[in-house]
Amino acid sequence: MSNLAEQFRQLSTLLHRTRGDWQHTPFACRELPWPELAPALMALNEAQLDTLDEDDTAALAFFAPLRPETVASHAYRLPELDRADDYATPRWSNGIPGRKWAQIKDFAANITAEHAILEWCAGKGHLGRLLAQQGAPSVTSLEWNADLCRQGAEVAEQFKLDHHFVCADALSADAARLFRPEQQALALHACGELHLRFLRHAAAAGTRRLALSPCCYHLIDGDHYRPLSAAGRQQDLHLDRQSLRLPLQQQVTGGERVRRLRHIELTWRLAFDELQQHLTGTTRYLPLPSFPKQLLSGDFADFAHWACEQKSLPVPNSIDGEHWLQRAEQRRLLVKRIELVRHRYRYLLELWLLLDRALFLEEQGYRVNLGTFTAESNTPRRYLLQASRN
Ligand SMILES: C[S@@+](CC[C@H](N)C(=O)[O-])C[C@H]1O[C@@H](n2cnc3c(N)ncnc32)[C@H](O)[C@@H]1O
């Protein structure tokens, strides 16, 4: 059994055993699901909950006596891979935000540009362009947004680079034909189904080298994740979309404004839920989709109007905002206490998903390497899966 397979086995056992900790929908809970944790969690006020949740090390220390196995599993850290020597910006990088540029440079630092490159879900092809400039034999960037392709192609033309765009849907059957054996296929921050296809197509074509940094694990076909590897299928956690979202709740701390907006959003969502339960006479939680943050700059009554329309509920003539916001207060604290526990599984669930992908590639005859390619301050989506075959 490979080292990764052994890690996966241990992690699967833990995640099966602790399912009751991470699989709850906090918004749907009316009481703490773990009576044994109540004394410790109820002793924390809101400010303490917020501070602890933002500091993973402190939160793990808090949970060490309560959930020793979960905390011990965090000892398995992925190695740091190569990083760029510098982040100096070339002329064409104008307009790429600093953190994005650092991610691209760091990703590129892990690529030896000796084969033709296929860049999957490329955006404007910044990564492909950098590699073309560093001497990659040829670069093909797949992207479905025609405007991004046009902009990328213009820069390639301007610098006379061997860098071409294929403007097509990565989920179409034709996209599989872009993969070749003598090739290096790259995907930087390709969402769920897009990177699952990337791995399947590359393995089927016998593509010599792969490098993938996955994101948005929940954006998949179907309601549940179907593990890629045989090991994953044997130890299937039956992850639904809400569990698949958990690793993405790892935020780079966004400062006071972001914190304030998060607070308002949480309170308003819960206040609307109180209102809708009253209107429908049910006690069932009704989730709202994500929405533009400017909706939070009006008042709660306007937000509740919008939410009623979203959910095809009759809009009440008048909405007593104070009343519903007041009712949300206690639920907000409950949600934060439950999240404090769930968030301690973000890393472990992401690791499980990464290892499933890694084991799939091992099963397909690849040598696999897994680590972090960039600093956490650049992005929480900083895992890189590298694979090669002879
Ligand atoms: C998160 S961005 C990553 C872009 C680039 N790799 C980077 O890191 O800067 C994902 C890209 O995938 C593209 N995309 C989404 N769905 C796609 C599809 N079905 N086919 C091709 N491209 C797609 C989006 O337009 C977007 O440019």
Side-chain angles (χ1 to χ4, degrees), residues 58-115:
L60 288 174
F62 174 84
F63 277 107
L66 305 166
R67 290 288 190 264
E69 282 183 319
T70 300
V71 173
S73 300
H74 282 74
Y76 179 69
R77 304 308 292 183
L78 294 173
E80 221 175 74
L81 304 175
D82 289 342
R83 301 281 158 91
D85 292 334
D86 67 70
Y87 300 98
T89 46
R91 208 155 32 100
W92 57 261
S93 74
N94 254 351
I96 307 178
R99 290 203 303 214
K100 183 82 221 166
W101 179 241
Q103 294 163 33
I104 290 167
K105 286 280 291 197
D106 284 340
F107 193 104
N110 288 281
I111 307 300
T112 39
E114 57 194 34
H115 298 285

Side-chain angles (χ1 to χ4, degrees), residues 171-236:
L171 299 179
S172 69
D174 280 353
R177 290 199 215 118
L178 293 169
F179 291 83
R180 308 260 150 71
E182 291 308 315
Q183 195 180 46
Q184 168 142 237
L186 314 178
L188 171 57
H189 294 161
C191 294
E193 197 61 41
L194 295 166
H195 74 247
L196 295 175
R197 299 282 174 103
F198 168 87
L199 292 172
R200 287 201 187 96
H201 292 333
T207 299
R208 198 169 285 274
R209 282 174 175 271
L210 311 182
L212 160 71
S213 172
C215 75
C216 300
Y217 300 97
H218 62 294
L219 297 180
I220 49 168
D221 288 348
D223 290 335
H224 285 81
Y225 177 64
R226 283 177 295 127
L228 279 182
S229 67
R233 286 191 295 278
Q234 263 168 23
Q235 324 209 35
D236 195 354

Side-chain angles (χ1 to χ4, degrees), residues 100 121-123 143-145 148 168-171 188-189 194:
K100 183 82 221 166
C121 299
E143 167 58 50
W144 73 349
N145 179 318
L148 300 181
D169 183 355
L171 299 179
L188 171 57
H189 294 161
L194 295 166

Side-chain angles (χ1 to χ4, degrees), residues 58-354:
L60 288 174
F62 174 84
F63 277 107
L66 305 166
R67 290 288 190 264
E69 282 183 319
T70 300
V71 173
S73 300
H74 282 74
Y76 179 69
R77 304 308 292 183
L78 294 173
E80 221 175 74
L81 304 175
D82 289 342
R83 301 281 158 91
D85 292 334
D86 67 70
Y87 300 98
T89 46
R91 208 155 32 100
W92 57 261
S93 74
N94 254 351
I96 307 178
R99 290 203 303 214
K100 183 82 221 166
W101 179 241
Q103 294 163 33
I104 290 167
K105 286 280 291 197
D106 284 340
F107 193 104
N110 288 281
I111 307 300
T112 39
E114 57 194 34
H115 298 285
I117 283 177
L118 173 63
E119 186 190 14
W120 189 250
C121 299
K124 291 182 196 170
H126 297 313
L127 174 66
R129 184 178 317 120
L130 179 62
L131 293 166
Q133 288 193 320
Q134 290 174 354
S138 81
V139 179
T140 303
S141 292
L142 172 79
E143 167 58 50
W144 73 349
N145 179 318
D147 198 37
L148 300 181
C149 291
R150 186 188 47 75
Q151 292 183 49
E154 273 174 18
V155 187
E157 171 65 28
Q158 189 186 340
F159 289 91
K160 305 276 174 269
L161 297 173
D162 188 355
H163 181 197
H164 306 276
F165 282 76
V166 174
C167 191
D169 183 355
L171 299 179
S172 69
D174 280 353
R177 290 199 215 118
L178 293 169
F179 291 83
R180 308 260 150 71
E182 291 308 315
Q183 195 180 46
Q184 168 142 237
L186 314 178
L188 171 57
H189 294 161
C191 294
E193 197 61 41
L194 295 166
H195 74 247
L196 295 175
R197 299 282 174 103
F198 168 87
L199 292 172
R200 287 201 187 96
H201 292 333
T207 299
R208 198 169 285 274
R209 282 174 175 271
L210 311 182
L212 160 71
S213 172
C215 75
C216 300
Y217 300 97
H218 62 294
L219 297 180
I220 49 168
D221 288 348
D223 290 335
H224 285 81
Y225 177 64
R226 283 177 295 127
L228 279 182
S229 67
R233 286 191 295 278
Q234 263 168 23
Q235 324 209 35
D236 195 354
L237 295 171
H238 302 287
L239 297 171
D240 60 11
R241 284 172 184 241
Q242 113 121 345
S243 302
L244 291 168
R245 251 194 213 109
L246 193 51
L248 308 171
Q249 291 179 6
Q250 207 151 356
Q251 321 246 3
V252 172
T253 312
E256 204 36 59
R257 187 178 163 275
V258 173
R259 208 172 285 135
R260 196 175 52 80
L261 280 177
R262 231 185 266 151
H263 179 86
I264 299 175
E265 177 169 353
L266 179 54
T267 311
W268 286 19
R269 279 178 179 272
L270 289 168
F272 168 72
D273 198 54
E274 289 292 316
L275 169 65
Q276 73 78 16
Q277 291 195 13
H278 169 76
L279 291 174
T280 57
T282 63
T283 51
R284 205 150 43 89
Y285 165 58
L286 186 64
L288 285 172
S290 55
F291 52 80
K293 297 291 170 267
Q294 78 235 32
L295 261 181
L296 300 173
S297 58
D299 67 13
F300 174 72
D302 293 336
F303 174 80
H305 267 253
W306 169 85
C308 284
E309 279 164 12
Q310 284 290 312
K311 292 292 165 185
S312 308
L313 292 173
V315 182
N317 289 336
S318 82
I319 293 171
D320 180 356
E322 277 307 306
H323 172 71
W324 300 113
L325 290 168
Q326 180 95 44
R327 292 187 59 129
E329 291 288 308
Q330 277 312 309
R331 268 181 83 183
R332 193 180 64 234
L333 273 175
L334 176 65
V335 166
K336 287 190 176 181
R337 291 189 171 112
I338 297 173
E339 293 289 30
L340 187 66
V341 178
R342 286 184 82 233
H343 287 171
R344 293 343 0 122
Y345 292 87
R346 288 181 299 211
Y347 171 67
L348 302 178
L349 274 173
E350 183 156 23
L351 195 53
W352 193 88
L353 291 164
L354 290 164

